[in-house]
Amino acid sequence: MVSLQQHYCRLARSTALILAFLLGAAPVHAQLCGEPGRDGQAISDPILNSYFTGSDDASLAAGSRELVLTRARGSHPLLPGDLALLMQVQGATISTRNDRRYGVLASHTLKAEWLRIDRVDGGRVQVKGAGAGGGLLHAYHNQPAGPDHGRARWQLVRVPQFDSLTLDQDVRALPWDGFTGGVLALDVRRGLALAGHALNVDGAGLRGAPAVSLQGALGNPDDWRYSAPNPEDQALGYGHHGSKGEGIAGTPVMIDPQQPGYPEGGMARGAPATAGGGGNAMDVSHRLLASGGGGGNGQPGQAGQPQSGGGLGGHKAPPGPWLGSGGGAAARSAGTGGDGGSGGGLILIRAAAVTGPGALTLRGNPGSAAGKAGGGGGSGGTLWLDMPSDVSLSLKADVSGGGGAAGGGNGGEGQSLSADGREGFPAFPLSGAQAGFRCRPAGHWISGRLFLDNGAADPAQAFNARFDDGEQPVVDRQLRLTGAGVRPQAVSTDRQGQFSLRLSEAESRGQSLRLSLSLADEERLPALPVLNRTPAQQQGKQLEWSLTATPDQHSGPLAIGLVTLPQWQGAASQSVPVGGKAVLTFRYHASVSGQVHFTSDSEAVSGLLMDRECSGDSERWQTGSSPGWNVVAGELLCVRVPVAFDGSKRTVTVIARTQPAGAPQGFSLPTQRASTQLSPAH
């Protein structure tokens, strides 16, 4: 372990270099940035990251800008301008009942965010984040295990910022040691080329359980949790069952004897959150033994054998960039082996592109055998990507779990996530300091998103020019970029409604550019979308933005929030017996929340019936006063119109006037008319 004193002795020697970097850096735009490219274009050490944490009871409040660090690992000290990842590695509570419900996740405090290091003064580090006043967005805590909770632990990871990077060797992370490690993270302003090498965090995550030789105690073959033997009892072989693995809910005593371990005991088959359970000894003499369960992450771990006493597999982890979890140990009466495998680590890549050939390996380690019983495998780790939306990853990450040994359960697969969602990579955004390719793109880069800004999940969020939960992306819509001296480009929005257009450095020479978009007939703009502080110009259905091609410049993200017209229609025609009566049905599908007024100017219509659920049951007779009906975005309702038919052809028209709630001043939706033609039935 490298001490903080060693880290910060280097600070004085680096001051001149850092000042030169700061003075020569490209201007920082509105988003929060580190110093993109400051670590150059090459590596000299296969360990890129350094890791830090505070004291065992150090808590960080949301909004705080100061961290007090007491532990450090790795060869790179923290310096002003550095990019860092702050993450809660452990911090979950579980059910501790001695039955099948043991280990079910009750709650968790797992979270992560990107920070910029602003000042370093010994062990005191000032940061800037996305929270109030430029502080932390979330709270973090270190906490020893107690009677009702396992250990909680956060760490700060220094993330190198490369200009471009072509690997000339494999790169790995320092493994998790109970305080720090397990994370390989890097930021590359241009492209990352693996050049046949690997980013490798195999088995670098939360640790597998060690097996111990025991002769028997007073445990029950049906135990889901049981106390771990103290050192004196362990020396005599007095104890029962196998140890649980390490997971997001804590660390067992058998891994760290200095900690109290899991609440109510760290042995036996119950799986504490994501960690695999230990195998049970199914008799008092500790002769009938069982294997450990596999760790869980993106998928749950597999249970050990036999079914009556094998450790349960670790539960599936909440979505997020977490370390893979360890497998449980086998119950063992003599000899060696039976250990659980450690989980895979965490890889975070922020780059303009990632190219192969090469490998991204985040595998869990296998368990080991002890005669007829064996440990469970560790789960696969987590890959998290942040790349431009028009760039795909040509490599497949290996997030497989480790195999169980001699009946031990296999570890579950890990997770593959991204900042904004892409094919095969569910979205899991992290707030804070932006990626280097956003802060300082090589050529001019334009990005944005089209979406329905209708507050579908919360009407109060309509018309706010933000893509909120429940709102739908507008997919497969084409935008064009043209200008003198640049090749014309066209791009369509992806399944998340996002688009990205990029110019090379050679094309970014101060030319005038024009970005254009054509609206569909049913689309309306509540407000003109703003790019580079300038609203769009609109002529009919055509939107245009003017900008200048500038190197190292990002224009955006451009938020194009649209609303569509409500769907309002009736049957085109309906046959009615002469002298009879008919009830015509008109359907209204709300695109925004607000009020809708229905009226008819047809002589044959004496009133309207409201059927809010289109069930055939009318709610209320609507008279000429035309009251407004409250609707929410996405709601479907029906208006039923009784008419008497004298045999002459006629058209019945019903009018819908929608008043959106919370719309910007001056914005309205047009009146809509739907008609049904009546004809005699033959």
Side-chain angles (χ1 to χ4, degrees):
M1 183 182 76
V2 177
S3 69
L4 281 176
Q5 287 81 2
Q6 290 173 302
H7 271 273
Y8 298 115
C9 280
R10 298 169 183 152
L11 178 59
R13 297 198 299 269
S14 305
T15 300
L17 176 62
I18 296 306
L19 285 175
F21 251 125
L22 293 175
L23 293 174
V28 175
H29 307 297
Q31 66 265 49
L32 175 62
C33 299
E35 294 291 338
R38 66 181 296 161
D39 288 277
Q41 302 185 52
I43 61 173
S44 58
D45 188 331
I47 306 294
L48 301 182
N49 302 105
S50 294
Y51 312 89
F52 309 84
T53 189
S55 62
D56 289 350
D57 59 355
S59 291
L60 307 174
S64 172
R65 293 199 59 189
E66 185 174 271
L67 284 66
V68 178
L69 305 177
T70 59
R71 283 179 176 265
R73 296 170 73 202
S75 59
H76 302 281
L78 281 176
L79 297 172
D82 275 347
L83 176 69
L85 175 77
L86 180 62
M87 62 181 297
Q88 187 81 44
V89 180
Q90 293 174 298
T93 58
I94 57 174
S95 168
T96 59
R97 300 170 63 103
N98 194 16
D99 58 25
R100 181 170 287 275
R101 287 168 288 184
Y102 172 89
V104 172
L105 186 67
S107 65
H108 74 85
T109 59
L110 303 182
K111 75 276 290 185
E113 61 189 281
W114 298 100
L115 303 173
R116 185 182 73 206
I117 306 301
D118 276 0
R119 191 173 70 231
V120 179
D121 183 12
R124 294 185 179 274
V125 177
Q126 188 177 80
V127 301
K128 188 163 187 181
L136 302 183
L137 186 64
H138 306 291
Y140 300 83
H141 60 285
N142 284 341
Q143 186 179 24
D148 58 354
H149 59 83
R151 186 174 71 166
R153 177 63 60 177
W154 57 262
Q155 69 169 331
L156 181 76
V157 182
R158 180 192 182 271
V159 181
Q161 301 172 87
F162 297 103
D163 188 69
S164 61
L165 183 60
T166 299
L167 295 185
D168 60 3
Q169 58 185 305
D170 291 352
V171 177
R172 56 190 174 86
L174 288 178
W176 173 255
D177 68 353
F179 299 94
T180 59
V183 176
L184 196 171
L186 67 167
D187 180 278
V188 187
R189 177 192 168 212
R190 290 180 168 91
L192 168 63
L194 300 186
H197 296 286
L199 302 182
N200 185 326
V201 292
D202 290 351
L206 299 166
R207 294 163 293 181
V212 293
S213 295
L214 300 173
Q215 303 304 316
L218 300 178
N220 189 307
D222 296 326
D223 282 330
W224 299 87
R225 44 105 169 134
Y226 189 74
S227 59
N230 60 39
E232 293 78 13
D233 286 345
Q234 187 177 330
L236 297 172
Y238 188 74
H240 222 71
H241 308 311
S243 174
K244 305 176 189 298
E246 184 177 35
I248 62 173
T251 304
V253 168
M254 302 312 295
I255 290 179
D256 186 355
Q258 306 304 315
Q259 291 281 330
Y262 288 118
E264 305 291 346
M267 312 294 279
R269 65 185 308 210
T274 54
N280 275 16
M282 293 175 286
D283 64 338
V284 174
S285 63
H286 219 272
R287 295 179 184 275
L288 299 176
L289 307 177
S291 299
N297 186 3
Q299 294 295 325
Q302 184 183 54
Q305 295 297 320
Q307 184 176 357
S308 57
L312 292 194
H315 301 275
K316 186 176 179 179
W322 324 128
L323 301 180
S325 291
R332 190 183 77 196
S333 58
T336 59
D339 301 330
S342 296
L346 168 63
I347 294 179
L348 301 100
I349 303 173
R350 311 178 94 182
V354 179
T355 58
L360 306 173
T361 63
L362 308 91
R363 296 170 294 211
N365 280 349
S368 65
K372 296 181 179 180
S379 74
T382 302
L383 173 66
W384 185 91
L385 294 176
D386 186 357
M387 297 195 303
S389 58
D390 63 338
V391 175
S392 61
L393 181 70
S394 58
L395 304 166
K396 182 173 177 58
D398 188 349
V399 293
S400 57
N410 296 331
E413 286 193 352
Q415 304 187 59
S416 295
L417 307 169
S418 66
D420 48 17
R422 57 179 58 233
E423 187 71 32
F425 289 81
F428 193 94
L430 294 177
S431 299
Q434 296 291 301
F437 72 85
R438 286 193 177 90
C439 293
R440 193 174 168 229
H444 200 111
W445 172 47
I446 306 161
S447 68
R449 171 178 258 148
L450 275 71
F451 59 96
L452 298 182
D453 194 11
N454 60 0
D458 180 358
Q461 295 178 330
F463 310 113
N464 63 4
R466 295 198 306 266
F467 184 53
D468 297 305
D469 288 344
E471 294 179 338
Q472 295 299 308
V474 178
V475 303
D476 201 27
R477 296 297 303 282
Q478 189 177 89
L479 294 95
R480 293 185 58 82
L481 182 67
T482 56
V486 301
R487 54 189 171 83
Q489 294 189 48
V491 66
S492 296
T493 55
D494 63 16
R495 295 198 302 177
Q496 301 296 323
Q498 298 176 109
F499 69 90
S500 179
L501 290 155
R502 292 190 294 166
L503 301 177
S504 68
E505 289 176 278
E507 292 177 304
S508 304
R509 305 188 312 273
Q511 308 97 308
S512 295
L513 304 175
R514 184 177 67 181
L515 179 68
S516 60
L517 168 71
S518 295
L519 300 179
D521 289 340
E522 71 277 9
E523 293 172 344
R524 297 293 185 273
L525 272 175
L528 291 175
V530 174
L531 180 64
N532 294 347
R533 301 183 181 179
T534 302
Q537 296 178 331
Q538 183 173 8
Q539 186 172 3
K541 293 292 184 180
Q542 187 77 4
L543 293 178
E544 291 186 355
W545 294 264
S546 297
L547 56 156
T548 302
T550 309
D552 294 340
Q553 176 70 45
H554 173 214
S555 293
L558 172 61
I560 306 176
L562 309 170
V563 294
T564 58
L565 298 180
Q567 295 178 19
W568 175 234
Q569 60 187 16
S573 62
Q574 186 166 329
S575 298
V576 183
V578 176
K581 289 187 177 182
V583 177
L584 310 182
T585 299
F586 294 80
R587 292 176 174 268
Y588 178 90
H589 195 178
S591 61
V592 294
S593 299
Q595 282 197 339
V596 57
H597 297 250
F598 299 108
T599 57
S600 178
D601 53 11
S602 298
E603 294 180 359
V605 176
S606 58
L608 307 176
L609 295 174
M610 172 59 67
D611 178 3
R612 290 193 69 94
E613 297 181 356
C614 294
S615 64
D617 296 327
S618 301
E619 179 178 328
R620 188 181 302 177
W621 185 271
Q622 182 174 322
T623 62
S625 61
S626 183
W629 298 92
N630 293 326
V631 292
V632 296
E635 182 178 3
L636 175 66
L637 53 83
C638 290
V639 175
R640 301 196 185 277
V641 184
V643 295
F645 186 56
D646 60 7
S648 59
K649 289 186 177 181
R650 65 179 61 198
T651 298
V652 174
T653 299
V654 181
I655 301 166
R657 296 181 176 89
T658 304
Q659 297 176 336
Q665 186 174 3
F667 176 73
S668 61
L669 293 175
T671 297
Q672 296 174 277
R673 304 172 72 89
S675 300
T676 297
Q677 188 176 58
L678 302 184
S679 59
H682 299 294

